[in-house]
Amino acid sequence: MAIQWFPGHMHLTRKAIQERIKEIDVVIELLDSRLPGSSANPMLAELTSGKPALKVLNKQDLADPERTALWLAHYNAMPGVRALPLDASMSTPAKALVAACHELAPNRGGMAKPMRVLICGIPNVGKSTLINTLKGKRAAKTGDEAGVTKIEQRITIADDFYLYDTPGVLWPRIIVAKSGYNLAASGAIGKNAFDEEEVALELLDYLRQHYAGALEARYKLSGVAEQTDEQLLDAIGRKRGALQSGGRINLNKAAEIVIHDFRSAVMGRITLETPEQFAQWLAEGKQIDAERQMKKDAIEMARLIRLKKVKRPDQPRHSDAREAAAGSAAGPEEPGVEG
């Protein structure tokens, strides 16, 4: 399944960040603690390259604490990067972000050199809620759907601390397949951009391997690890009464139940990836993307040759090919030694 969502306001956000970043001291990127790798925007990393970065693992109260610790260690090991866990509704930890920004940019502060911070992240990651917590009042609009913030806002946290909020932004093409599913499961992508049944099946496939006990406890099932994701979705539909006429399972309704239960953490505290898993998915995604691009380039070259817009590459003569093969079989020539 190709999950892509890049509305016009996200293109405008990219342009706004390109302009704003020139005068920014620290970049705060909010990540979803349940999917820290998948919720890290590679486009933002490119746009904000070279700036001190504070990675905030938000919604940490919904995530697996052991895996959150692994992700914090992963990000804190990077140069110029600090990472903190956070629940955006908690006021005291939120204030720690201001101190962390001053640690990353110690030469900024005071009316002469106010701290200028850009806060960014994917849709529905909790930026607006966090900003309101920092400000102490409703400074930013909040909502439980992706894409609530539509324009850049400047918010004064203190006389010498300016926070620039940007709309939640995804990247044009998601090359890591698992990231697409995880983002959809978390609510970062609008529901019209993905198939709920397919996302629920991917989610169940991961949970049965890593959180089988959570599934068994939530849905009163047994032997979850030995079942397929299709069998699990069917069983959950029966347990939760997602039935149609004739006793058939309403799989779309069952999928909605699974996704809702994950988002609301009624299954327990779950994280859908570790640093090692995400690194493997990313490497595989890059390889597949490179192969896809090579095929696309070959098709385009064939089209241009057919239209005579480029010359056909010269083919080696048979005698040249035989000589090259003979030389290869003989092995590399030994380098000469001057006397």
Side-chain angles (χ1 to χ4, degrees):
M1 177 178 63
I3 301 177
Q4 306 299 345
W5 188 49
F6 201 61
H9 78 270
M10 293 189 175
H11 177 68
L12 295 176
T13 299
R14 175 174 183 153
K15 293 179 65 176
I17 291 175
Q18 285 176 319
E19 288 300 314
R20 177 64 61 193
I21 197 64
K22 300 171 185 177
E23 56 188 52
I24 290 298
D25 303 306
V26 176
V27 175
I28 296 178
E29 183 178 12
L30 255 67
L31 307 175
D32 190 323
S33 290
R34 300 167 297 176
L35 44 145
S38 293
S39 58
N41 189 336
M43 187 179 75
L44 287 176
E46 175 188 344
L47 293 174
T48 62
S49 177
K51 296 290 183 177
L54 179 60
K55 304 287 188 181
V56 178
L57 274 62
N58 201 24
K59 304 183 180 182
Q60 57 93 18
D61 55 319
L62 306 180
D64 183 332
E66 292 184 4
R67 291 190 169 194
T68 296
L70 294 176
W71 278 104
L72 290 172
H74 170 76
Y75 282 119
N76 279 318
M78 296 180 177
V81 177
R82 280 207 59 196
L84 295 172
L86 188 69
D87 171 355
S89 68
M90 299 163 60
S91 59
T92 303
K95 292 178 181 178
L97 300 184
V98 175
C101 288
H102 282 294
E103 290 179 18
L104 286 166
N107 295 325
R108 302 298 302 187
M111 296 303 294
K113 296 186 295 182
M115 178 74 72
R116 300 159 302 183
V117 176
L118 182 74
I119 184 167
C120 49
I122 63 171
N124 203 30
V125 76
K127 282 193 302 91
S128 297
T129 302
L130 174 60
I131 289 168
N132 291 338
T133 302
L134 285 167
K135 183 66 177 175
K137 62 180 181 180
R138 191 179 175 83
K141 184 179 178 182
T142 63
D144 60 359
E145 294 183 1
V148 170
T149 304
K150 291 292 192 294
I151 59 173
E152 183 191 60
Q153 306 176 73
R154 192 187 96 164
I155 299 159
T156 302
I157 303 300
D159 290 340
D160 63 345
F161 196 104
Y162 302 146
L163 190 66
Y164 293 89
D165 181 24
T166 57
V169 58
L170 291 174
W171 45 108
R173 210 157 48 84
I174 299 171
I175 67 170
V176 180
K178 285 292 292 182
S179 288
Y181 290 115
N182 289 351
L183 287 164
S186 73
I189 297 175
K191 63 185 300 182
N192 293 329
F194 63 90
D195 182 292
E196 288 179 305
E197 184 178 336
E198 194 167 354
V199 169
L201 288 172
E202 283 288 327
L203 179 58
L204 288 172
D205 184 58
Y206 189 86
L207 295 179
R208 70 178 180 82
Q209 298 178 61
H210 301 279
Y211 293 95
L215 286 176
E216 291 174 349
R218 173 60 182 168
Y219 301 112
K220 305 298 188 290
L221 299 172
S222 60
V224 160
E226 287 73 42
Q227 298 183 51
T228 65
D229 44 355
E230 290 87 355
Q231 290 171 333
L232 279 174
L233 187 61
D234 188 88
I236 291 169
R238 291 190 184 281
K239 286 282 187 178
R240 296 296 301 274
L243 301 174
Q244 301 179 116
S245 59
R248 293 177 298 128
I249 303 298
N250 185 334
L251 293 176
N252 190 65
K253 180 63 176 177
E256 290 177 357
I257 291 170
V258 170
I259 293 172
H260 173 270
D261 287 356
F262 165 70
R263 290 179 182 176
S264 59
V266 295
M267 295 182 188
R269 299 176 66 172
I270 290 171
T271 299
L272 297 179
E273 54 200 39
T274 65
E276 292 76 15
Q277 288 170 345
F278 183 77
Q280 180 181 342
W281 300 340
L282 181 59
E284 292 169 353
K286 286 181 176 179
Q287 181 177 349
I288 293 171
D289 194 57
E291 292 170 356
R292 184 186 297 116
Q293 187 61 47
M294 287 179 63
K295 291 179 181 178
K296 186 176 178 180
D297 291 344
I299 292 171
E300 177 62 12
M301 177 59 71
R303 186 186 72 85
L304 294 174
I305 291 172
R306 188 170 63 252
L307 296 174
K308 301 184 183 305
K309 292 188 175 182
V310 298
K311 291 180 62 177
R312 186 182 300 276
D314 293 335
Q315 299 295 322
R317 294 178 303 169
H318 292 299
S319 58
D320 292 342
R322 284 196 297 271
E323 290 172 6
S328 175
E333 184 178 346
E334 290 294 329
V337 178
E338 294 184 3

